[in-house]
């Protein structure tokens, strides 16, 4: 078993990715004005982070396990420091986009390895709780990102990236559980592509595209309906992460007790209701509450998927969680491209389509491969 500081470093490391990805979601108008680009082009800064992050993560878990998780994680944090600092200084939008991509690549070599290390030091009957705690820190990152980004945008959005660089520097120097010398050093890429991994990846791709990937859409909605300031807009968006943070441990305990599949079904169905509510009820309290419910649903999906993939032993576990996480964020990165044009056609319809996809994903839970195929 690892010491408490090392375990805490695993949890806190989960904060960086969601924070770095989502920090731009409430500063899009300011990025647009600063770089002289359209709001739609500014929104592509979300995809610029998430797409490289997701694509590299298709292989990063396997290669990171081969190279040594601790070494890989520390190098990735150092890369994140440099990329975030460059983002704070970038004078051109194209260079800012490059730094976003580099942040995503660095993050691809931390998230799956942190999750695998956490699973390795956690008893099987408490895995859901541990993943819930990890999810809580991810929710905290997602919660604080739009708030910090919005507050920074009221002064200078560049300060947000200076802060990210400092956080990554602290994480690079933090203790981590030591590597098992023989663990997964012989992992192969094909070990990660098992039936249960592909099933889990497909489910979470759809869920993240239509739920956790929509803060930009909610930002558009509240801005159009209520003309909020950047700071207040960011505060509304934090409802998702706050609710996810508060509920994460309870969600983990529920997954341990009732099973990951029940957690997944509940998350998808309640998430569908929440997204439909945002589209149908043009009320700030209603939108805020529905977005908060979405945060709880995101935790149900995340814990259910991760528990399914990590509840095994042997080679390929790092690669498997890496592939599933990659597909999760590929879904998230697809959201702006899929939903922005639909939103401009009909704001309500964009949220109803997201709700319909979430509800239609529930039958896929019955197609889960048998447990012996699990990673």
């Amino acid at each position: 078993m690892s010491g408490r500081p090392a375990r805490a470093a695993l949890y806190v490391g989960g904060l960086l990715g969601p924070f770095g990805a989502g920090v731009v979601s409430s500063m899009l108008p300011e990025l647009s004005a600063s770089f002289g680009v359209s709001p739609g082009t500014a929104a592509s800064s979300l995809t610029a982070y998430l797409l490289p992050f997701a694509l590299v993560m298709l292989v990063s878990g396997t290669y990171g396990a081969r190279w040594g998780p601790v070494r890989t994680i520390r190098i990735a944090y150092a890369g994140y420091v440099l990329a975030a600092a460059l983002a704070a200084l970038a004078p051109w939008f194209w260079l800012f986009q490059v730094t976003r991509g580099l942040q995503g690549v660095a993050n691809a070599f931390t998230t799956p390895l942190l999750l695998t290390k956490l699973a390795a030091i956690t008893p099987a009957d408490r895995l859901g709780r541990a993943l819930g705690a990890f999810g809580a820190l991810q929710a905290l990152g997602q919660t604080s990102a739009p708030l910090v980004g919005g507050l920074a945008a009221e002064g200078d959005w560049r300060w947000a990236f200076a802060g990210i660089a400092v956080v990554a520097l602290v994480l690079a120097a933090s203790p981590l559980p030591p590597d098992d010398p023989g663990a997964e050093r012989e992992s192969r890429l094909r070990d990660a592509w098992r039936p249960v991994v592909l099933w889990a990846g497909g489910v979470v791709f759809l869920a993240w595209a239509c739920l956790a990937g929509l803060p930009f859409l909610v930002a558009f909605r509240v801005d159009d309906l209520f003309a909020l300031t950047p700071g207040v807009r960011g505060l509304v968006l934090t409802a998702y992460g706050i609710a996810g943070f508060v509920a994460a441990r309870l969600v983990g305990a529920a997954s341990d007790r009732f099973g990951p599949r029940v957690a997944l079904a509940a998350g998808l169905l309640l998430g569908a209701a929440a997204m439909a509510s945002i589209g149908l009820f043009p009320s700030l309290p209603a939108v805020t509450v529905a977005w908060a419910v979405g945060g709880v649903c995101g935790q149900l999906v995340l814990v259910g998927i991760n528990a399914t993939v990590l509840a095994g032993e042997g080679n390929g576990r790092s690669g498997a969680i890496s592939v599933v996480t990659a597909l999760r964020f590929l879904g998230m990165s697809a959201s702006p491209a899929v939903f922005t044009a639909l939103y401009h056609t009909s704001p309500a319809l964009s949220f109803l389509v997201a709700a319909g996809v979430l509800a239609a994903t529930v039958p896929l839970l019955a197609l889960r491969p048998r447990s012996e195929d699990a990673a």
Side-chain angles (χ1 to χ4, degrees):
M1 294 294 290
S2 64
R4 287 188 177 183
R7 179 181 282 269
L10 295 178
Y11 288 131
V12 175
L15 180 151
L16 184 63
F19 186 95
V23 71
V24 300
S25 61
S26 61
M27 60 171 70
L28 296 179
E30 289 70 34
L31 289 175
S32 174
S34 180
F35 289 114
V37 298
S38 70
T41 301
S44 69
S45 59
L46 289 162
T47 303
Y49 183 108
L50 292 169
L51 188 58
F53 171 53
L55 291 175
V56 172
M57 199 153 34
L58 290 170
V59 299
S60 62
T62 299
Y63 284 118
R66 288 185 190 176
W67 299 334
V70 169
R71 178 194 306 164
T72 302
I73 290 168
R74 294 201 188 285
I75 292 173
Y77 281 148
Y80 209 113
V81 172
L82 295 176
L86 184 57
L89 300 172
W92 309 291
F93 187 69
W94 68 264
L95 181 58
F96 179 75
Q97 292 287 72
V98 169
T99 69
R100 292 287 289 164
L102 292 174
Q103 290 169 58
V105 170
N107 190 197
F109 285 96
T110 60
T111 298
L113 298 175
L114 292 171
L115 279 167
T116 305
K117 276 194 164 294
L118 182 61
I121 63 174
T122 302
D125 62 348
R126 296 189 63 83
L127 181 58
R129 292 173 177 83
L131 293 174
F134 188 89
L137 269 296
Q138 289 196 307
L140 181 61
Q142 189 164 358
T143 299
S144 57
L147 178 59
V148 171
L151 292 174
E154 293 191 352
D156 188 338
W157 60 264
R158 297 178 186 274
W159 284 111
F161 289 93
I164 290 172
V166 172
V167 171
L169 183 62
V170 171
L171 287 171
S174 298
L176 291 168
D179 292 338
D180 180 347
E184 297 201 63
R185 293 301 178 90
E186 302 301 323
S187 292
R188 300 165 299 178
L189 291 175
R190 67 173 178 266
D191 291 335
W193 296 89
R194 307 178 194 181
V196 73
V197 177
L198 298 178
W199 169 86
V203 169
V204 82
F205 177 93
L206 295 173
W208 241 238
C210 299
L211 185 60
L214 299 185
F216 75 96
L217 205 65
V218 177
F220 288 156
R221 184 67 164 158
V222 298
D223 193 47
D224 289 343
L225 290 175
F226 314 113
L228 304 178
T229 66
V232 177
R233 189 191 316 138
L235 188 61
V236 171
L237 294 181
T238 63
Y240 184 102
I242 289 173
F245 176 77
V246 171
R249 293 301 294 268
L250 182 61
V251 165
S255 178
D256 285 336
R257 181 173 181 180
F258 300 108
R261 195 178 307 192
V262 172
L264 280 168
L268 292 168
L269 290 174
L270 291 174
M275 294 306 99
S277 297
I278 294 174
L280 294 174
F281 301 108
S283 158
L284 184 57
V287 169
T288 303
V289 170
W291 189 232
V293 172
V296 178
C297 296
Q299 288 298 327
L300 285 163
V301 171
L302 186 59
V303 170
I305 286 291
N306 287 343
T308 298
V309 177
L310 289 169
E313 300 289 344
N315 282 345
R317 191 159 60 166
S318 293
I321 195 62
S322 186
V323 167
V324 169
T325 306
L327 291 170
R328 172 160 64 101
F329 284 99
L330 279 172
M332 191 173 184
S333 69
S335 293
V338 172
F339 288 103
T340 299
L342 185 59
Y343 177 86
H344 290 308
T345 300
S346 171
L349 180 61
S350 64
F351 287 99
L352 291 174
V353 168
V357 172
L358 290 171
T361 304
V362 175
L364 293 179
L365 304 187
L367 302 178
R368 175 188 169 185
R370 296 175 62 186
S371 59
E372 60 262 31
D373 294 325

